[in-house]
Amino acid sequence: MMKTVRNDFPILNTQINGRPLTYLDGAATSQKPWPVLDAVQQYYLTENANVHRGVYTLSEVATKSYEGAREKVQNFLHAPSSRNIIFTRSTTESLNWLAQAYGPTVVGQGDEILLTYLEHHSNIVPWQVLAQRVGATLKYVKLTADGQIDLADFAQQLSPKTKIVSFAHVSNVLGTEAPVKEMARLAHQVGATVVVDGAQAVAHLPVDVLDLDVDFYAFSGHKMLAPTGIGVLYGKEVLLEQMPPAQYGGEMIEEVGLQSSTYQELPWRFEAGTPNIAGAVGLGAAIDYLEHLGMAAIAAKESDLMKTAIAELSTIPGLEIYGPVDPADRHGVLSFNISGVHPHDVATILDQAGVEVRAGHHCAQPLMRYLGQAATVRASFSFYNNQEDIVRLVQALKTVKEYFPND
Ligand code: PMP
């Protein structure tokens, strides 16, 4: 099945600068397979109507598809009920809603919010604004020398003042996986709420929110084969019940009076306005596709790619890899620099060869400062990449020094 998987991704047959596309930026956004593209098109061709409103058949069909997608997300995350699953626009929106609406219900003056040094800006800035609003303090957990979360430092920084801990399941720069279960256990001992940013995890490893025992879990559909503009916020029911909506308007209300209104039950209370129905349908199809391949098979394929990539890149003179060099400690992402060459120049040279990688701070400026780098090159791998992609990456990287012979 894995062998023929590339045929499902039409974009992989395109050319970039006259060369075959070598797409190594799945961490920014994944490519989309035919079943997802077809599901979105079929929805618009045969089912399009607004949801939850009409008593007519087409609206019921659209509602069934939308709510069916919610059940697929529920099963994908092993959540107890579809009431736990809120559709949002993205990870960013999920985290903002938490910080804006849930945050002030548990964080007050003098309290602490605990993050780590490897967070994406989406998991920093919303908490900064909350901390400023309520007079709380943000604290950051240190990393070990190879870029893992330092569990001892995490345990030490936790105290009864810690009201929220929020961290990435998988780092978008280093590919390292947080020990989520252990962190949740320790955080719960001091009564803190555990928020996990799953943006870089959901496409690469199985996620079981019950087993991990996290309170909230946020992710974006577009990083796991689905369209842009659809995201998810999972929350434990007791916590969602105590969280006020972040947005108000149509669809989320039960009864509207002139001075006040009552709201729908979970999860619809959080989904004001017409939702991204086609996006949810696309996400449902993406989940079907991933489950058909199996997350374990996906992880195994990506681990093979990572193994080759680390071995090959390590032979390139002047190339430094950030984070762990054991492929088992990484998911999907490989950040590096070539000494004396700006990462943007590396990415531009690679682009000439059709090799698409990201260069920059990857929306993780505190981590860049922590690594002592202004920017890095990042190659990221998905199960639809192959060994040939790595050969092309390495060939292109070997030409970089030809452009900068004196460095
Ligand atoms: N967190 C992490 C770890 C990410 O990698 C990303 C996407 N780069 C985000 C959050 C934000 O995702 P989105 O832009 O889809 O909201």
Side-chain angles (χ1 to χ4, degrees):
M1 221 156 28
M2 274 296 174
K3 286 211 167 67
T4 57
V5 102
R6 285 175 74 83
N7 301 335
D8 293 338
F9 291 79
I11 204 168
L12 298 180
N13 294 322
T14 54
Q15 302 239 319
I16 298 290
N17 298 320
R19 313 291 281 279
L21 166 63
T22 301
Y23 186 73
L24 296 176
D25 198 17
T29 198
S30 66
Q31 295 303 346
K32 321 299 176 198
W34 274 119
V36 170
L37 300 171
D38 280 343
V40 173
Q41 195 180 24
Q42 275 309 309
Y43 167 76
Y44 279 124
L45 286 173
T46 63
E47 299 182 353
N48 181 48
N50 212 327
V51 290
H52 303 141
R53 283 188 186 148
V55 286
Y56 57 90
T57 307
L58 197 59
S59 172
E60 279 169 12
V61 170
T63 303
K64 213 165 151 226
S65 290
Y66 181 65
E67 292 304 327
R70 196 189 305 278
E71 281 167 24
K72 286 178 185 180
V73 175
Q74 175 204 335
N75 293 329
F76 185 68
L77 295 179
H78 301 93
S81 156
S82 60
R83 292 163 62 83
N84 302 109
I85 308 299
I86 298 160
F87 282 126
T88 65
R89 194 164 58 84
S90 58
T91 314
T92 303
E93 187 166 87
S94 301
L95 293 169
N96 271 276
W97 284 6
L98 279 178
Q100 282 165 32
Y102 177 77
T105 68
V106 290
V107 186
Q109 177 94 29
D111 286 337
E112 293 175 357
I113 299 165
L114 188 53
L115 311 176
T116 83
Y117 273 102
L118 52 68
E119 299 314 314
H120 187 277
H121 296 162
S122 297
N123 196 27
I124 300 174
V125 188
W127 304 116
Q128 285 174 346
V129 175
L130 169 65
Q132 286 157 10
R133 192 171 139 195
V134 301
T137 308
L138 281 188
K139 296 180 78 184
Y140 292 85
V141 180
K142 287 190 210 145
L143 308 179
T144 61
D146 69 349
Q148 314 268 7
I149 291 172
D150 184 334
L151 252 189
D153 187 55
F154 176 70
Q156 206 186 346
Q157 294 211 47
L158 286 170
S159 82
K161 281 196 205 162
T162 318
K163 299 302 170 195
I164 293 181
V165 304
S166 188
F167 54 91
H169 194 163
V170 171
S171 158
N172 67 315
V173 176
L174 302 174
T176 45
E177 181 182 348
V180 179
K181 199 169 170 174
E182 179 62 1
M183 288 172 80
R185 193 183 66 78
L186 292 168
H188 285 148
Q189 280 177 356
V190 297
T193 300
V194 177
V195 178
V196 176
D197 166 359
Q200 293 295 343
V202 279
H204 302 291
L205 43 109
V207 176
D208 183 329
V209 287
L210 280 190
D211 180 53
L212 296 174
D213 193 26
V214 297
D215 297 310
F216 293 103
Y217 195 93
F219 68 91
S220 301
H222 72 92
K223 304 222 194 237
M224 49 174 286
L225 316 182
T228 49
I230 185 77
V232 167
L233 174 62
Y234 157 85
K236 281 186 183 163
E237 195 162 330
V238 284
L239 300 179
L240 288 176
E241 286 293 3
Q242 84 187 48
M243 171 169 158
Q247 293 186 335
Y248 300 85
E251 307 244 6
M252 55 77 67
I253 48 80
E254 193 178 58
E255 179 110 28
V256 175
L258 289 181
Q259 304 299 333
S260 64
S261 303
T262 56
Y263 311 137
Q264 284 260 27
E265 58 179 305
L266 291 177
W268 303 293
R269 182 194 307 162
F270 291 99
E271 296 176 6
T274 302
N276 182 355
I277 308 165
V281 168
L283 177 57
I287 288 172
D288 286 344
Y289 186 90
L290 290 171
E291 286 182 337
H292 184 64
L293 288 179
M295 293 310 294
I298 286 172
K301 167 87 188 276
E302 292 177 352
S303 164
D304 273 355
L305 292 171
M306 186 59 78
K307 217 178 279 173
T308 317
I310 291 179
E312 291 290 327
L313 264 61
S314 304
T315 66
I316 297 174
L319 189 147
E320 184 186 5
I321 293 173
Y322 302 106
V325 287
D326 183 344
D329 290 336
R330 288 186 175 262
H331 298 280
V333 206
L334 195 53
S335 282
F336 57 90
N337 270 324
I338 297 183
S339 66
V341 189
H342 194 281
H344 284 155
D345 290 332
V346 175
T348 305
I349 294 165
L350 262 53
D351 180 47
Q352 294 308 307
V355 178
E356 309 294 83
V357 297
R358 186 94 182 263
H361 55 62
H362 316 296
C363 300
Q365 286 177 352
L367 175 57
M368 290 294 127
R369 279 193 287 271
Y370 201 88
L371 295 173
Q373 300 296 321
T376 70
V377 185
R378 181 184 74 185
S380 50
F381 308 103
S382 306
F383 61 89
Y384 49 80
N385 288 119
N386 59 13
Q387 299 285 342
E388 182 61 28
D389 288 334
I390 295 174
V391 170
R392 291 200 187 109
L393 169 69
V394 172
Q395 273 170 356
L397 281 171
K398 284 184 174 160
T399 68
V400 168
K401 280 287 178 190
E402 293 165 17
Y403 289 80
F404 297 91
N406 299 324
D407 287 311

